Amino acid sequence: MNKFLVFQSDFGLVDGAVSAMEGVAYGIDADLKISHVTHDITPYNIFEGSYRLFQTLEYWPKGTVFVSVVDPGVGSDRKSVVVKTKHDRYIVTPNNGTLTHINRFVGIDEIREIEESVNRRKDTELSYTFHGRDVYAYTGAKLAAGKISYQEVGPQMSLEEIVELELFSNVRTDDSVTGQIDILDVRFGSLWTSISFEEFAELGFKFNDMVEVQIFNNTTMVYSNRVIYGKSFADVSVGMPIVYMNSVYHMALAINQGSFAKAYAIKVGKPWTVVFKRVDGR
């Protein structure tokens, strides 16, 4: 292991929860190199936690251990696990759907249930609401520090036991593709969709083409316009919309130096779909 330990949660930074997890980890090994994906996951939003892992994980060196805690079922019978990905990163997390994108788009080689009789902070057995500190940070730190091997995490499970969230099934026609608005590039208000670059490119789009864009909230159309397809935001004037490929190689919508989400009150998730269509006569 390389001693990299990366935390993610929906805890926020307004209290001591994240600091407590760091303290537990440093108590295992003061030489750990701790970093963070984010602690601003929308509370209880497992899908968002899954997506942020997908956005980040592959850019860290092999051997890095991630601790991801978005756990509305804490203290229930959901299992605490550690997975080993196909490219040798490790994720310590509840088995509640937070592994969906990694399993689908990166690949998981092995999953093990955390044996809490061994891999849990001493004298915390009666605490049921902070497994992020008592189980996940503790186990993740031991693994990252080399205090335990991956096999010592606990018993192996079947890969079929990995809990997955339902992902939107994109719909392709001869001249269009429909996907879901999965998530926001939060600070800038860009819309990241479930439509891959490959699905978009198969329609024959080239840079500077106009794309007919429609956005729906359930069956209600909330946006309809022709938008230029560009390489980057600078391909359009300030305040103008653009279709582009984002940093995870999916199609996205932005307003140059503005927030698409705020401009049109657009949110994310199952009710929110987007259609990219070739303009008639192309």
Side-chain angles (χ1 to χ4, degrees):
M1 294 298 178
N2 58 23
K3 293 200 174 186
F4 286 124
L5 183 63
V6 184
F7 287 127
Q8 168 179 279
S9 77
D10 58 352
F11 296 161
L13 296 174
V14 296
D15 63 14
V18 172
S19 183
M21 292 170 64
E22 289 183 328
V24 166
Y26 283 129
I28 298 296
D29 187 337
D31 292 326
L32 285 171
K33 293 166 279 190
I34 295 177
S35 189
H36 304 269
V37 178
T38 179
H39 294 287
D40 284 328
I41 300 293
T42 302
Y44 319 119
N45 193 323
I46 297 168
F47 180 95
E48 191 175 328
S50 174
Y51 198 103
R52 295 307 182 198
L53 280 176
F54 165 58
Q55 181 184 353
T56 307
L57 178 136
E58 287 291 278
Y59 300 100
W60 280 83
K62 291 183 178 182
T64 298
V65 176
F66 287 77
V67 173
S68 180
V69 191
V70 183
D71 194 13
V74 62
S76 69
D77 60 358
R78 61 94 186 93
K79 291 185 176 181
S80 299
V81 300
V82 184
V83 299
K84 179 178 180 288
T85 75
K86 288 190 178 299
H87 300 124
D88 296 325
R89 282 86 174 179
Y90 299 84
I91 306 170
V92 185
T93 190
N95 186 27
N96 62 1
T98 198
L99 295 167
T100 299
H101 288 83
I102 296 299
N103 197 34
R104 190 74 61 91
F105 301 116
V106 176
I108 291 173
D109 270 348
E110 190 174 341
I111 179 171
R112 290 181 176 271
E113 183 177 3
I114 296 174
E115 177 52 69
E116 292 188 17
S117 64
V118 178
N119 295 310
R120 182 182 181 126
R121 288 181 62 241
K122 185 179 179 182
D123 299 327
T124 64
E125 294 80 9
L126 297 180
S127 175
Y128 299 101
T129 60
F130 201 175
H131 286 179
R133 176 194 64 196
D134 298 333
V135 180
Y136 301 141
Y138 183 76
T139 301
K142 288 174 70 177
L143 185 61
K147 305 290 186 181
I148 58 172
S149 68
Y150 180 58
Q151 290 70 30
E152 291 174 302
V153 164
Q156 186 171 355
M157 297 166 53
S158 166
L159 294 178
E160 284 69 38
E161 294 181 76
I162 296 173
V163 174
E164 284 198 12
L165 304 174
E166 182 181 359
L167 298 182
F168 186 87
S169 297
N170 297 339
V171 178
R172 169 77 188 278
T173 70
D174 289 342
D175 64 353
S176 72
V177 59
T178 300
Q180 177 177 275
I181 299 172
D182 276 343
I183 206 161
L184 299 182
D185 184 355
V186 179
R187 185 169 178 82
F188 301 104
S190 305
L191 313 181
W192 286 17
T193 80
S194 62
I195 299 168
S196 69
F197 170 73
E198 289 79 8
E199 291 172 303
F200 181 80
E202 284 172 358
L203 293 172
F205 287 115
K206 306 296 183 185
F207 289 129
N208 298 317
D209 282 350
M210 298 302 293
V211 182
E212 189 170 327
V213 178
Q214 296 175 334
I215 297 175
F216 294 86
N217 181 5
N218 289 313
T219 59
T220 302
M221 184 184 295
V222 298
Y223 180 84
S224 180
N225 198 4
R226 291 183 175 182
V227 179
I228 195 168
Y229 167 44
K231 293 180 180 178
S232 68
F233 312 114
D235 286 347
V236 297
S237 301
V238 172
M240 295 298 293
I242 186 170
V243 175
Y244 69 102
M245 184 187 74
N246 68 17
S247 60
V248 294
Y249 308 101
H250 280 63
M251 302 312 297
L253 279 159
I255 292 176
N256 186 15
Q257 297 186 38
S259 170
F260 205 115
K262 288 182 179 178
Y264 299 100
I266 293 171
K267 300 187 184 302
V268 301
K270 289 184 179 180
W272 294 89
T273 55
V274 59
V275 181
F276 294 134
K277 186 175 182 180
R278 291 202 307 264
V279 174
D280 292 340
R282 257 192 82 248

